[in-house]
Amino acid sequence: MNDIGRMKVEELDTPVLLLDRDALERNISRMRDLAAKAGLKYRPHAKSHKSPVIAGMQLAAGAAGVCCAKLGEAEVMAASGVPDILITTEVVGRSKLMRLMAAARQSHVAVVADDERNIAELAGAAQTAGLRLDVLIEVDIGQGRCGVQPGPEAARLAQVVAGSRWLRFRGLQGYQGAIQMTAGFGDREAQVRQALGRLMETAELVRKSGIEVEVLTGGGTGSSIIDGALHGYTELQPGSYVFMDSKYRGIEWPGGATQPFETSLTVLGTVISRPAPDRAIVDVGLKAASSDHGPIAPVGLAGATYAFAGDEHGHVRFEGGRCPLAVGDRVTFVPSHCDTTVNLYDRYIVTKGGYVEDVWDIAARGRVQ
Amino acid sequence: MNDIGRMKVEELDTPVLLLDRDALERNISRMRDLAAKAGLKYRPHAKSHKSPVIAGMQLAAGAAGVCCAKLGEAEVMAASGVPDILITTEVVGRSKLMRLMAAARQSHVAVVADDERNIAELAGAAQTAGLRLDVLIEVDIGQGRCGVQPGPEAARLAQVVAGSRWLRFRGLQGYQGAIQMTAGFGDREAQVRQALGRLMETAELVRKSGIEVEVLTGGGTGSSIIDGALHGYTELQPGSYVFMDSKYRGIEWPGGATQPFETSLTVLGTVISRPAPDRAIVDVGLKAASSDHGPIAPVGLAGATYAFAGDEHGHVRFEGGRCPLAVGDRVTFVPSHCDTTVNLYDRYIVTKGGYVEDVWDIAARGRVQ
C-alpha cells in the first residue's frame, strides 16, 4: 500500500474529534437490521451527528427520514437535500414559523405541537405560505418535559389539528429519554412498556374520535430493541447508536448481552505536561469534551482515569500512581455524551485503519435556534 | 428617536447570546481603573470572550496585550492585529510549533513551558524560523495542573531557557484558578498570599542565579483586587470580568462589598411548552448554555429556578408551583460559566437599551487546538 499523501491519525493536531468510518458503518447497518427485523420504519435523530453526510448514509440504509431537535438543524438538512424531516421540538414564534415554512418548501418537514395557540399559529403560517403542514401532537409519556398528558387533552389537540384546512394530523410523538440508559434490560423493558402503553392508549382515544393515527414516533437507542419487539411505535427515533458514548455503552441487551453498537467517535488529545510522577495533563478540557454526563474515558491505558481540570486541561491519573505517559504522547478518549461533544467541533476527522480518510463538516453545529 | 430599522431584542430568534454593550464597557473600565490604581500591567484573558473586537476594546483601555489559552486562539488574535499575546498553556508537538512560529511572525507571541524537552523543541523551531521566542516558565503555585513545582526545578528550567540563543527568558507564570471563586474575601486573600508567595520565592531563586525575571504573570478576576494590593505579579490575567457569570458574581470584595463587575452576558430563551401548571419548558438546554458550573439563573422572575432538561430543553420552576409564563414568553438567563457558554455560540448579539446594536463574531470559538 502506498502511504505517500496519507496522513496518520497521530500526525493530527489535538484535541481533535475522530470518527472511525468502519465502526460508524457497522453501527448504521446494525440499526438497519434491527428495524428491518422488527418490520418498523426508523427515523434517526440528526441532533446527535448534525451532519448531512451521516444523514445521507442513514437514508441510504433505508431510514424513512431524519429527526431534528431544532429548526436550525432542519434547515441545514433540508438545504443538503434530506427529503423527509421531523422536528421533534415545538417551533414557537413568528420568525421561526416563517423559517419553518421556507424549510417545508424545500423538503417534507413535519413538526410536533402541544399547545392550541401554537397550532393556530402553525395553521396561519401554513396558510400564508400556501402549503399544508404535517403536525404530530407530542404526548408526555413520563419524561415530564414537553408534551400534553396522555388521554383526552391529546385527543382534543389532535382534533384541533385535524380540523384545520392548512394542517394535516399525522399522529403522535412520545419520547421518554430518561429511561434510555437504564442499565438492566428487564428494568428498561418494564419502563418502556409503561411509557409506550400511555402513548398507545392515547392513540386509541384519538382513533375512537374518528381520526386516523398514522404515525406513532419515539424511542431511542436504548429502547430500540424493546420498541422493535413491542410494535407500539410505527417509527423509531434512535440517535446515539451511530457513535455510542461511554455512558450508553454498557447497557444490557436481551439475554444478558451488551448492546451491539460500538464506539465510533473519540477525542484524541496530547499530553502537554508531566509535572509530577503521578499525573499527566492533557489538552482536553471542557471546551473539547462535554462534561454533562461525567468524565470521558481513556482508551487502552490500564488503570487510567480522566478528570476535567478546567476549560482546556484534563488530568489523567493511574491506579497505583505510576504514570507511563510522556509529554507529546497521544491519548484517545471516549466521550461520555456524544451529542454535546459533537456540538463543540466544526468537523469530523474521518479515519480508517489509523489514517485520515476524509473530513466532514458538522454543518448543523451550534444551530440551536 | 427613530426606531425604524432598529431591531428589538425580543424580536430575535432564541436561544441567543446577548452582550450588553454598556455593561461590557463599564466592566472594561473598572478593570482598567483597578490595574491603574495598583500600578500594574494587565493582560486580559481572551479565552473568555474569544473575540478580537473585545480584545481591541481591552487594548484601547490600556491592556498590555492579551492572554490566549490555546495556540488556535492566538492565531485568530494575531491575524486580527492584536500586537502582544501570551499563550498561557504549553504548546506541544511539531505541527503546533510550526504554527506558533507563523503566529510569532505576525505578532509578538510569548509562550509558557514546564518541560525541558519542550523547551529544546521550542528553541529548534525558533531557530528554523529565524526568530527569538519569548518563553516564561510555568510554576504550579497550588492548582496541581501544569507547571513545575516552585523552587529549584523552576530555576533550573529558567536557566535552560536563558541559555538558548533562540529563546528569551521573560519570567514566570503562576496561576491558581481554584481559589478565584472563594466567596469570602478574607479566605481568598489568605489563599492568594500563599499561592503568590510560592511564585515570588521562586522568582527570587531565579534572580539569585543571575537571571533577570522581568515578568510575573497570573491571577484572575477573583484575585485581581488582592493581586493589585500585594504587588507580587507584574501583570494580571483577568478574564471573566468582562462578562461576570452567576458563579463568580457573588464573591466578596474588601469591606464586605460585592465584586464590582456586572453581568453583561446573558442567554435569551423562549418558553416553548406549558404542559403542566407547575412548569414551563424553555428552548435553552445543554447546547445553549454550559452546565459545568451548575444551572443557569433566570433574571427578573421572582422565585424561579432553572434545571437542565437535555440538550435542547430546560425547566423553569417557580417557588410555590405557580408559573406565570406563557408559550412564546422570553426568559433571560445569566450563564453559570461564561467561557464554556461563549464557546457554544458563533456570535454575540450586542445590545444597547433593549435594541440590537451590533453583531460580533466569536472568531476563536472552537479553536481548541
Side-chain angles (χ1 to χ4, degrees), chain A residues 13-14 47 95-96 99 114 144-145 273 283 287 309 311 315 346 365, chain B residues 13-14 47 70 95-96 99 114 144-145 273 287 309 311 315 346 365:
Chain A
D13 280 358
T14 65
K47 87 181 183 73
S95 160
K96 285 195 180 169
R99 289 168 48 201
D114 72 355
R145 208 165 62 179
S273 180
D283 58 357
K287 288 180 182 168
D311 293 3
H315 284 271
D346 291 306
R365 190 215 67 75
Chain B
D13 280 358
T14 65
K47 85 181 185 74
K70 290 288 179 104
S95 159
K96 285 195 180 167
R99 289 168 48 202
D114 72 355
R145 208 165 62 178
S273 180
K287 288 179 183 168
D311 294 2
H315 283 271
D346 291 305
R365 190 214 67 75

PDB file of all heavy atoms in Angstrom, chain A residues 13-14 47 95-96 99 114 144-145 273 283 287 309 311 315 346 365, chain B residues 13-14 47 70 95-96 99 114 144-145 273 287 309 311 315 346 365:
ATOM      1  N   ASP A  13      -3.067  17.615  14.738  1.00  0.00           N
ATOM      2  CA  ASP A  13      -3.077  18.463  15.919  1.00  0.00           C
ATOM      3  C   ASP A  13      -4.262  18.067  16.801  1.00  0.00           C
ATOM      4  O   ASP A  13      -5.291  17.591  16.307  1.00  0.00           O
ATOM      5  CB  ASP A  13      -3.202  19.939  15.509  1.00  0.00           C
ATOM      6  CG  ASP A  13      -1.868  20.523  15.069  1.00  0.00           C
ATOM      7  OD1 ASP A  13      -0.853  19.797  15.110  1.00  0.00           O
ATOM      8  OD2 ASP A  13      -1.835  21.702  14.680  1.00  0.00           O
ATOM      9  N   THR A  14      -4.107  18.270  18.069  1.00  0.00           N
ATOM     10  CA  THR A  14      -5.146  17.882  19.023  1.00  0.00           C
ATOM     11  C   THR A  14      -5.551  19.092  19.868  1.00  0.00           C
ATOM     12  O   THR A  14      -4.810  20.068  19.917  1.00  0.00           O
ATOM     13  CB  THR A  14      -4.630  16.774  19.963  1.00  0.00           C
ATOM     14  OG1 THR A  14      -3.566  17.313  20.762  1.00  0.00           O
ATOM     15  CG2 THR A  14      -4.156  15.561  19.203  1.00  0.00           C
ATOM     16  N   LYS A  47     -29.830  15.206  15.545  1.00  0.00           N
ATOM     17  CA  LYS A  47     -29.260  16.071  16.585  1.00  0.00           C
ATOM     18  C   LYS A  47     -27.974  15.474  17.138  1.00  0.00           C
ATOM     19  O   LYS A  47     -27.128  16.194  17.657  1.00  0.00           O
ATOM     20  CB  LYS A  47     -30.265  16.313  17.714  1.00  0.00           C
ATOM     21  CG  LYS A  47     -30.288  15.274  18.833  1.00  0.00           C
ATOM     22  CD  LYS A  47     -31.339  15.612  19.867  1.00  0.00           C
ATOM     23  CE  LYS A  47     -31.338  14.625  21.028  1.00  0.00           C
ATOM     24  NZ  LYS A  47     -30.188  14.778  21.932  1.00  0.00           N
ATOM     25  N   SER A  95     -41.060  34.572  13.701  1.00  0.00           N
ATOM     26  CA  SER A  95     -39.896  34.472  12.819  1.00  0.00           C
ATOM     27  C   SER A  95     -39.586  33.007  12.515  1.00  0.00           C
ATOM     28  O   SER A  95     -39.313  32.635  11.367  1.00  0.00           O
ATOM     29  CB  SER A  95     -38.700  35.162  13.486  1.00  0.00           C
ATOM     30  OG  SER A  95     -37.498  34.709  12.927  1.00  0.00           O
ATOM     31  N   LYS A  96     -39.652  32.177  13.545  1.00  0.00           N
ATOM     32  CA  LYS A  96     -39.352  30.756  13.324  1.00  0.00           C
ATOM     33  C   LYS A  96     -40.412  30.092  12.452  1.00  0.00           C
ATOM     34  O   LYS A  96     -40.092  29.206  11.652  1.00  0.00           O
ATOM     35  CB  LYS A  96     -39.223  30.034  14.655  1.00  0.00           C
ATOM     36  CG  LYS A  96     -37.924  30.356  15.359  1.00  0.00           C
ATOM     37  CD  LYS A  96     -37.631  29.400  16.477  1.00  0.00           C
ATOM     38  CE  LYS A  96     -36.314  29.784  17.122  1.00  0.00           C
ATOM     39  NZ  LYS A  96     -36.082  29.074  18.376  1.00  0.00           N
ATOM     40  N   ARG A  99     -39.491  30.764   8.968  1.00  0.00           N
ATOM     41  CA  ARG A  99     -38.356  29.912   8.574  1.00  0.00           C
ATOM     42  C   ARG A  99     -38.828  28.467   8.353  1.00  0.00           C
ATOM     43  O   ARG A  99     -38.369  27.780   7.425  1.00  0.00           O
ATOM     44  CB  ARG A  99     -37.270  29.958   9.644  1.00  0.00           C
ATOM     45  CG  ARG A  99     -36.519  31.284   9.730  1.00  0.00           C
ATOM     46  CD  ARG A  99     -35.662  31.370  10.997  1.00  0.00           C
ATOM     47  NE  ARG A  99     -34.859  30.177  11.194  1.00  0.00           N
ATOM     48  CZ  ARG A  99     -34.343  29.791  12.362  1.00  0.00           C
ATOM     49  NH1 ARG A  99     -34.514  30.535  13.454  1.00  0.00           N
ATOM     50  NH2 ARG A  99     -33.643  28.689  12.452  1.00  0.00           N
ATOM     51  N   ASP A 114     -47.828  20.934  21.098  1.00  0.00           N
ATOM     52  CA  ASP A 114     -48.528  20.520  22.313  1.00  0.00           C
ATOM     53  C   ASP A 114     -49.372  21.659  22.890  1.00  0.00           C
ATOM     54  O   ASP A 114     -49.774  21.590  24.050  1.00  0.00           O
ATOM     55  CB  ASP A 114     -47.539  19.980  23.360  1.00  0.00           C
ATOM     56  CG  ASP A 114     -46.674  21.067  24.003  1.00  0.00           C
ATOM     57  OD1 ASP A 114     -46.742  22.249  23.585  1.00  0.00           O
ATOM     58  OD2 ASP A 114     -45.923  20.742  24.944  1.00  0.00           O
ATOM     59  N   GLY A 144     -41.790  14.161  31.654  1.00  0.00           N
ATOM     60  CA  GLY A 144     -42.071  15.410  32.370  1.00  0.00           C
ATOM     61  C   GLY A 144     -41.426  16.615  31.730  1.00  0.00           C
ATOM     62  O   GLY A 144     -40.985  17.535  32.419  1.00  0.00           O
ATOM     63  N   ARG A 145     -41.349  16.622  30.429  1.00  0.00           N
ATOM     64  CA  ARG A 145     -40.751  17.751  29.721  1.00  0.00           C
ATOM     65  C   ARG A 145     -41.860  18.358  28.862  1.00  0.00           C
ATOM     66  O   ARG A 145     -42.858  18.800  29.408  1.00  0.00           O
ATOM     67  CB  ARG A 145     -39.563  17.250  28.894  1.00  0.00           C
ATOM     68  CG  ARG A 145     -38.512  18.279  28.673  1.00  0.00           C
ATOM     69  CD  ARG A 145     -37.196  17.677  28.168  1.00  0.00           C
ATOM     70  NE  ARG A 145     -37.325  17.005  26.875  1.00  0.00           N
ATOM     71  CZ  ARG A 145     -36.309  16.424  26.225  1.00  0.00           C
ATOM     72  NH1 ARG A 145     -35.098  16.414  26.777  1.00  0.00           N
ATOM     73  NH2 ARG A 145     -36.484  15.843  25.066  1.00  0.00           N
ATOM     74  N   SER A 273       1.866  18.160  29.668  1.00  0.00           N
ATOM     75  CA  SER A 273       2.673  18.412  30.858  1.00  0.00           C
ATOM     76  C   SER A 273       2.746  17.141  31.692  1.00  0.00           C
ATOM     77  O   SER A 273       1.773  16.388  31.787  1.00  0.00           O
ATOM     78  CB  SER A 273       2.046  19.562  31.665  1.00  0.00           C
ATOM     79  OG  SER A 273       2.786  19.847  32.834  1.00  0.00           O
ATOM     80  N   ASP A 283      -4.449  18.024  26.838  1.00  0.00           N
ATOM     81  CA  ASP A 283      -5.024  19.262  26.291  1.00  0.00           C
ATOM     82  C   ASP A 283      -6.525  19.163  26.038  1.00  0.00           C
ATOM     83  O   ASP A 283      -7.075  19.946  25.261  1.00  0.00           O
ATOM     84  CB  ASP A 283      -4.280  19.664  25.010  1.00  0.00           C
ATOM     85  CG  ASP A 283      -4.328  18.578  23.938  1.00  0.00           C
ATOM     86  OD1 ASP A 283      -4.889  17.491  24.189  1.00  0.00           O
ATOM     87  OD2 ASP A 283      -3.786  18.812  22.838  1.00  0.00           O
ATOM     88  N   LYS A 287     -13.798  22.513  26.877  1.00  0.00           N
ATOM     89  CA  LYS A 287     -14.114  23.015  25.535  1.00  0.00           C
ATOM     90  C   LYS A 287     -13.836  21.982  24.444  1.00  0.00           C
ATOM     91  O   LYS A 287     -14.098  22.238  23.277  1.00  0.00           O
ATOM     92  CB  LYS A 287     -13.322  24.302  25.255  1.00  0.00           C
ATOM     93  CG  LYS A 287     -13.838  25.498  26.063  1.00  0.00           C
ATOM     94  CD  LYS A 287     -13.047  26.759  25.793  1.00  0.00           C
ATOM     95  CE  LYS A 287     -13.565  27.918  26.648  1.00  0.00           C
ATOM     96  NZ  LYS A 287     -12.649  29.073  26.626  1.00  0.00           N
ATOM     97  N   ALA A 309     -10.097  19.372  34.229  1.00  0.00           N
ATOM     98  CA  ALA A 309      -9.299  20.314  35.018  1.00  0.00           C
ATOM     99  C   ALA A 309      -9.349  21.692  34.357  1.00  0.00           C
ATOM    100  O   ALA A 309      -8.329  22.299  34.067  1.00  0.00           O
ATOM    101  CB  ALA A 309      -7.865  19.809  35.146  1.00  0.00           C
ATOM    102  N   ASP A 311     -11.184  24.600  31.432  1.00  0.00           N
ATOM    103  CA  ASP A 311     -11.662  24.707  30.054  1.00  0.00           C
ATOM    104  C   ASP A 311     -10.775  23.959  29.074  1.00  0.00           C
ATOM    105  O   ASP A 311     -11.266  23.448  28.061  1.00  0.00           O
ATOM    106  CB  ASP A 311     -11.666  26.181  29.622  1.00  0.00           C
ATOM    107  CG  ASP A 311     -12.682  26.996  30.382  1.00  0.00           C
ATOM    108  OD1 ASP A 311     -13.354  26.440  31.283  1.00  0.00           O
ATOM    109  OD2 ASP A 311     -12.801  28.195  30.085  1.00  0.00           O
ATOM    110  N   HIS A 315      -6.787  16.002  33.744  1.00  0.00           N
ATOM    111  CA  HIS A 315      -5.838  15.127  34.433  1.00  0.00           C
ATOM    112  C   HIS A 315      -6.024  13.700  33.951  1.00  0.00           C
ATOM    113  O   HIS A 315      -7.155  13.233  33.847  1.00  0.00           O
ATOM    114  CB  HIS A 315      -6.140  15.086  35.937  1.00  0.00           C
ATOM    115  CG  HIS A 315      -5.724  16.278  36.697  1.00  0.00           C
ATOM    116  ND1 HIS A 315      -4.472  16.397  37.252  1.00  0.00           N
ATOM    117  CD2 HIS A 315      -6.380  17.405  37.010  1.00  0.00           C
ATOM    118  CE1 HIS A 315      -4.391  17.550  37.881  1.00  0.00           C
ATOM    119  NE2 HIS A 315      -5.535  18.196  37.757  1.00  0.00           N
ATOM    120  N   ASP A 346     -16.243  21.714  14.756  1.00  0.00           N
ATOM    121  CA  ASP A 346     -16.703  22.132  13.435  1.00  0.00           C
ATOM    122  C   ASP A 346     -16.632  21.012  12.405  1.00  0.00           C
ATOM    123  O   ASP A 346     -17.237  21.114  11.345  1.00  0.00           O
ATOM    124  CB  ASP A 346     -15.868  23.326  12.944  1.00  0.00           C
ATOM    125  CG  ASP A 346     -16.167  24.563  13.764  1.00  0.00           C
ATOM    126  OD1 ASP A 346     -17.357  24.918  13.853  1.00  0.00           O
ATOM    127  OD2 ASP A 346     -15.237  25.156  14.327  1.00  0.00           O
ATOM    128  N   ARG A 365     -23.728  22.246  13.571  1.00  0.00           N
ATOM    129  CA  ARG A 365     -23.190  22.595  14.881  1.00  0.00           C
ATOM    130  C   ARG A 365     -23.655  23.986  15.297  1.00  0.00           C
ATOM    131  O   ARG A 365     -23.635  24.909  14.483  1.00  0.00           O
ATOM    132  CB  ARG A 365     -21.664  22.580  14.857  1.00  0.00           C
ATOM    133  CG  ARG A 365     -21.047  22.709  16.255  1.00  0.00           C
ATOM    134  CD  ARG A 365     -19.762  23.506  16.260  1.00  0.00           C
ATOM    135  NE  ARG A 365     -19.985  24.887  15.925  1.00  0.00           N
ATOM    136  CZ  ARG A 365     -20.520  25.795  16.750  1.00  0.00           C
ATOM    137  NH1 ARG A 365     -20.880  25.458  17.956  1.00  0.00           N
ATOM    138  NH2 ARG A 365     -20.702  27.028  16.343  1.00  0.00           N
TER     139      ARG A 365
ATOM    140  N   ASP B  13     -34.666  35.527  17.252  1.00  0.00           N
ATOM    141  CA  ASP B  13     -34.868  34.099  17.475  1.00  0.00           C
ATOM    142  C   ASP B  13     -33.998  33.657  18.641  1.00  0.00           C
ATOM    143  O   ASP B  13     -32.926  34.224  18.894  1.00  0.00           O
ATOM    144  CB  ASP B  13     -34.497  33.309  16.215  1.00  0.00           C
ATOM    145  CG  ASP B  13     -35.610  33.345  15.169  1.00  0.00           C
ATOM    146  OD1 ASP B  13     -36.662  33.940  15.450  1.00  0.00           O
ATOM    147  OD2 ASP B  13     -35.416  32.776  14.082  1.00  0.00           O
ATOM    148  N   THR B  14     -34.447  32.648  19.323  1.00  0.00           N
ATOM    149  CA  THR B  14     -33.739  32.164  20.510  1.00  0.00           C
ATOM    150  C   THR B  14     -33.434  30.678  20.349  1.00  0.00           C
ATOM    151  O   THR B  14     -34.050  30.025  19.507  1.00  0.00           O
ATOM    152  CB  THR B  14     -34.593  32.368  21.773  1.00  0.00           C
ATOM    153  OG1 THR B  14     -35.762  31.553  21.674  1.00  0.00           O
ATOM    154  CG2 THR B  14     -34.960  33.827  21.972  1.00  0.00           C
ATOM    155  N   LYS B  47      -9.416  33.925  26.299  1.00  0.00           N
ATOM    156  CA  LYS B  47     -10.137  32.647  26.261  1.00  0.00           C
ATOM    157  C   LYS B  47     -11.577  32.821  26.714  1.00  0.00           C
ATOM    158  O   LYS B  47     -12.450  32.038  26.349  1.00  0.00           O
ATOM    159  CB  LYS B  47      -9.439  31.591  27.110  1.00  0.00           C
ATOM    160  CG  LYS B  47      -9.795  31.584  28.600  1.00  0.00           C
ATOM    161  CD  LYS B  47      -9.026  30.509  29.340  1.00  0.00           C
ATOM    162  CE  LYS B  47      -9.449  30.409  30.801  1.00  0.00           C
ATOM    163  NZ  LYS B  47     -10.767  29.781  30.979  1.00  0.00           N
ATOM    164  N   LYS B  70      -5.061  28.801  24.060  1.00  0.00           N
ATOM    165  CA  LYS B  70      -4.651  27.872  23.027  1.00  0.00           C
ATOM    166  C   LYS B  70      -3.992  28.613  21.868  1.00  0.00           C
ATOM    167  O   LYS B  70      -4.350  29.756  21.563  1.00  0.00           O
ATOM    168  CB  LYS B  70      -5.876  27.093  22.521  1.00  0.00           C
ATOM    169  CG  LYS B  70      -6.438  26.095  23.541  1.00  0.00           C
ATOM    170  CD  LYS B  70      -5.536  24.889  23.734  1.00  0.00           C
ATOM    171  CE  LYS B  70      -6.072  23.921  24.744  1.00  0.00           C
ATOM    172  NZ  LYS B  70      -6.659  22.715  24.167  1.00  0.00           N
ATOM    173  N   SER B  95       3.868  20.058  14.628  1.00  0.00           N
ATOM    174  CA  SER B  95       2.964  20.858  13.790  1.00  0.00           C
ATOM    175  C   SER B  95       2.588  22.150  14.514  1.00  0.00           C
ATOM    176  O   SER B  95       2.575  23.234  13.929  1.00  0.00           O
ATOM    177  CB  SER B  95       1.718  20.022  13.463  1.00  0.00           C
ATOM    178  OG  SER B  95       0.663  20.852  13.089  1.00  0.00           O
ATOM    179  N   LYS B  96       2.302  22.039  15.811  1.00  0.00           N
ATOM    180  CA  LYS B  96       1.926  23.245  16.556  1.00  0.00           C
ATOM    181  C   LYS B  96       3.101  24.217  16.688  1.00  0.00           C
ATOM    182  O   LYS B  96       2.912  25.433  16.662  1.00  0.00           O
ATOM    183  CB  LYS B  96       1.387  22.865  17.939  1.00  0.00           C
ATOM    184  CG  LYS B  96      -0.017  22.293  17.859  1.00  0.00           C
ATOM    185  CD  LYS B  96      -0.705  22.235  19.198  1.00  0.00           C
ATOM    186  CE  LYS B  96      -2.099  21.659  19.031  1.00  0.00           C
ATOM    187  NZ  LYS B  96      -2.714  21.285  20.304  1.00  0.00           N
ATOM    188  N   ARG B  99       3.173  26.208  13.616  1.00  0.00           N
ATOM    189  CA  ARG B  99       2.099  27.215  13.640  1.00  0.00           C
ATOM    190  C   ARG B  99       2.459  28.353  14.597  1.00  0.00           C
ATOM    191  O   ARG B  99       2.185  29.530  14.323  1.00  0.00           O
ATOM    192  CB  ARG B  99       0.786  26.566  14.071  1.00  0.00           C
ATOM    193  CG  ARG B  99       0.180  25.629  13.018  1.00  0.00           C
ATOM    194  CD  ARG B  99      -0.958  24.786  13.595  1.00  0.00           C
ATOM    195  NE  ARG B  99      -1.911  25.592  14.342  1.00  0.00           N
ATOM    196  CZ  ARG B  99      -2.732  25.118  15.265  1.00  0.00           C
ATOM    197  NH1 ARG B  99      -2.738  23.831  15.583  1.00  0.00           N
ATOM    198  NH2 ARG B  99      -3.556  25.919  15.903  1.00  0.00           N
ATOM    199  N   ASP B 114       7.034  24.089  30.743  1.00  0.00           N
ATOM    200  CA  ASP B 114       7.350  23.484  32.042  1.00  0.00           C
ATOM    201  C   ASP B 114       8.133  22.184  31.882  1.00  0.00           C
ATOM    202  O   ASP B 114       8.217  21.388  32.810  1.00  0.00           O
ATOM    203  CB  ASP B 114       6.071  23.263  32.869  1.00  0.00           C
ATOM    204  CG  ASP B 114       5.192  22.133  32.341  1.00  0.00           C
ATOM    205  OD1 ASP B 114       5.501  21.558  31.269  1.00  0.00           O
ATOM    206  OD2 ASP B 114       4.188  21.808  33.002  1.00  0.00           O
ATOM    207  N   GLY B 144      -2.199  22.339  41.037  1.00  0.00           N
ATOM    208  CA  GLY B 144      -1.979  20.927  40.744  1.00  0.00           C
ATOM    209  C   GLY B 144      -2.302  20.558  39.313  1.00  0.00           C
ATOM    210  O   GLY B 144      -2.805  19.476  39.044  1.00  0.00           O
ATOM    211  N   ARG B 145      -2.030  21.472  38.401  1.00  0.00           N
ATOM    212  CA  ARG B 145      -2.297  21.197  36.992  1.00  0.00           C
ATOM    213  C   ARG B 145      -0.949  21.221  36.278  1.00  0.00           C
ATOM    214  O   ARG B 145      -0.081  20.429  36.606  1.00  0.00           O
ATOM    215  CB  ARG B 145      -3.268  22.260  36.470  1.00  0.00           C
ATOM    216  CG  ARG B 145      -4.132  21.787  35.348  1.00  0.00           C
ATOM    217  CD  ARG B 145      -5.322  22.703  35.094  1.00  0.00           C
ATOM    218  NE  ARG B 145      -4.938  24.051  34.705  1.00  0.00           N
ATOM    219  CZ  ARG B 145      -5.809  25.022  34.391  1.00  0.00           C
ATOM    220  NH1 ARG B 145      -7.109  24.762  34.445  1.00  0.00           N
ATOM    221  NH2 ARG B 145      -5.406  26.219  34.050  1.00  0.00           N
ATOM    222  N   SER B 273     -43.181  25.407  25.760  1.00  0.00           N
ATOM    223  CA  SER B 273     -44.237  24.490  26.188  1.00  0.00           C
ATOM    224  C   SER B 273     -44.655  24.838  27.603  1.00  0.00           C
ATOM    225  O   SER B 273     -43.817  25.193  28.444  1.00  0.00           O
ATOM    226  CB  SER B 273     -43.722  23.044  26.112  1.00  0.00           C
ATOM    227  OG  SER B 273     -44.707  22.117  26.509  1.00  0.00           O
ATOM    228  N   LYS B 287     -26.947  22.541  24.898  1.00  0.00           N
ATOM    229  CA  LYS B 287     -26.259  23.074  23.717  1.00  0.00           C
ATOM    230  C   LYS B 287     -26.350  24.596  23.620  1.00  0.00           C
ATOM    231  O   LYS B 287     -25.777  25.190  22.711  1.00  0.00           O
ATOM    232  CB  LYS B 287     -26.807  22.423  22.440  1.00  0.00           C
ATOM    233  CG  LYS B 287     -26.378  20.953  22.297  1.00  0.00           C
ATOM    234  CD  LYS B 287     -26.950  20.308  21.044  1.00  0.00           C
ATOM    235  CE  LYS B 287     -26.564  18.823  20.988  1.00  0.00           C
ATOM    236  NZ  LYS B 287     -27.325  18.083  19.958  1.00  0.00           N
ATOM    237  N   ALA B 309     -32.715  20.157  31.100  1.00  0.00           N
ATOM    238  CA  ALA B 309     -33.593  19.026  30.784  1.00  0.00           C
ATOM    239  C   ALA B 309     -33.232  18.490  29.401  1.00  0.00           C
ATOM    240  O   ALA B 309     -34.069  18.358  28.527  1.00  0.00           O
ATOM    241  CB  ALA B 309     -35.057  19.455  30.842  1.00  0.00           C
ATOM    242  N   ASP B 311     -30.410  18.209  25.908  1.00  0.00           N
ATOM    243  CA  ASP B 311     -29.594  19.014  25.003  1.00  0.00           C
ATOM    244  C   ASP B 311     -30.269  20.324  24.623  1.00  0.00           C
ATOM    245  O   ASP B 311     -29.596  21.331  24.386  1.00  0.00           O
ATOM    246  CB  ASP B 311     -29.323  18.251  23.707  1.00  0.00           C
ATOM    247  CG  ASP B 311     -28.455  17.032  23.926  1.00  0.00           C
ATOM    248  OD1 ASP B 311     -28.088  16.763  25.086  1.00  0.00           O
ATOM    249  OD2 ASP B 311     -28.160  16.348  22.940  1.00  0.00           O
ATOM    250  N   HIS B 315     -36.135  23.261  32.232  1.00  0.00           N
ATOM    251  CA  HIS B 315     -37.317  23.513  33.061  1.00  0.00           C
ATOM    252  C   HIS B 315     -37.161  24.853  33.759  1.00  0.00           C
ATOM    253  O   HIS B 315     -36.091  25.137  34.303  1.00  0.00           O
ATOM    254  CB  HIS B 315     -37.413  22.484  34.198  1.00  0.00           C
ATOM    255  CG  HIS B 315     -37.901  21.150  33.783  1.00  0.00           C
ATOM    256  ND1 HIS B 315     -39.223  20.823  33.764  1.00  0.00           N
ATOM    257  CD2 HIS B 315     -37.227  20.049  33.384  1.00  0.00           C
ATOM    258  CE1 HIS B 315     -39.362  19.564  33.376  1.00  0.00           C
ATOM    259  NE2 HIS B 315     -38.157  19.068  33.133  1.00  0.00           N
ATOM    260  N   ASP B 346     -21.597  31.186  17.816  1.00  0.00           N
ATOM    261  CA  ASP B 346     -20.774  31.744  16.737  1.00  0.00           C
ATOM    262  C   ASP B 346     -20.697  33.259  16.787  1.00  0.00           C
ATOM    263  O   ASP B 346     -19.834  33.845  16.145  1.00  0.00           O
ATOM    264  CB  ASP B 346     -21.334  31.306  15.385  1.00  0.00           C
ATOM    265  CG  ASP B 346     -21.141  29.821  15.172  1.00  0.00           C
ATOM    266  OD1 ASP B 346     -19.984  29.372  15.272  1.00  0.00           O
ATOM    267  OD2 ASP B 346     -22.121  29.103  14.942  1.00  0.00           O
ATOM    268  N   ARG B 365     -14.029  30.835  18.539  1.00  0.00           N
ATOM    269  CA  ARG B 365     -14.847  29.736  19.065  1.00  0.00           C
ATOM    270  C   ARG B 365     -14.364  28.402  18.512  1.00  0.00           C
ATOM    271  O   ARG B 365     -14.062  28.303  17.312  1.00  0.00           O
ATOM    272  CB  ARG B 365     -16.305  29.918  18.663  1.00  0.00           C
ATOM    273  CG  ARG B 365     -17.246  28.939  19.374  1.00  0.00           C
ATOM    274  CD  ARG B 365     -18.404  28.500  18.523  1.00  0.00           C
ATOM    275  NE  ARG B 365     -17.959  27.691  17.412  1.00  0.00           N
ATOM    276  CZ  ARG B 365     -17.567  26.412  17.509  1.00  0.00           C
ATOM    277  NH1 ARG B 365     -17.587  25.800  18.664  1.00  0.00           N
ATOM    278  NH2 ARG B 365     -17.151  25.751  16.443  1.00  0.00           N
TER     279      ARG B 365
END
